Amino acid sequence: AGLVSAGQQQAFRATNEVLKEKVAKIKVLKSTKKMSPDCMTFGVPTRPSTPVYDLLENRYQDRWILLMRESELAQREQERQAKRFVNSKNIQDTRTSLLRQAV
C-alpha cells in the first residue's frame, strides 16, 4: 500500500500530466508579477546621485558662505533701520538734558 515502482510512476505521469499543468500555472503566475520601475530598488525609491562636479569644486561651501554673507548683511541693515527709527522719534527733553544744552 503506497509503494510504487519507478515504471508505474512514469506511466501514471504520462497518462495524467499532473506536474506539467502545475508548472504551466507557475510560469503564468511568475510572468504576471508586477515589475518595479527603474527608480525603485527592493520597493524603496533610489536617492538621486550626488553631483560630483559640485563636490570637487566646493560649490556647497561657496553657496553656504554666500548665504551667510547675505543673512549677515540683512541683519546689519535691520539694525541700521532700527537705530534710524529710534533716532527719528521726538524724544522729550528731560530737565538734565535741558540744563546740559544751556551750558
Side-chain angles (χ1 to χ4, degrees):
L3 296 177
V4 181
S5 67
Q8 291 174 338
Q9 187 176 16
Q10 187 177 10
F12 177 79
R13 285 186 180 171
T15 56
N16 292 326
E17 300 180 15
V18 175
L19 292 178
K20 290 181 183 178
E21 291 176 8
K22 288 183 180 179
V23 170
K25 287 181 184 178
I26 291 172
K27 285 183 181 179
V28 170
L29 291 176
K30 284 184 179 179
S31 65
T32 60
K33 194 175 193 180
K34 292 183 180 180
M35 298 298 291
S36 61
D38 292 338
C39 61
M40 300 282 278
T41 305
F42 298 110
V44 178
T46 56
R47 293 173 45 189
S49 62
T50 304
V52 177
Y53 180 74
D54 290 343
L55 289 174
L56 293 175
E57 294 291 322
N58 292 327
R59 291 210 178 179
Y60 291 108
Q61 178 184 0
D62 295 341
R63 289 180 197 161
W64 182 82
I65 290 172
L66 286 174
L67 217 130
M68 291 297 115
R69 283 183 188 165
E70 290 174 358
S71 65
E72 188 177 321
L73 290 174
Q75 186 179 8
R76 285 182 188 172
E77 186 62 33
Q78 286 178 351
E79 290 173 359
R80 289 181 191 155
Q81 293 292 335
K83 285 181 182 178
R84 288 181 194 158
F85 182 73
V86 169
N87 292 339
S88 67
K89 285 186 177 179
N90 294 331
I91 300 174
Q92 293 181 351
D93 291 328
T94 62
R95 191 182 332 172
T96 308
S97 64
L98 289 173
L99 289 174
R100 285 185 184 152
Q101 289 175 2
V103 174

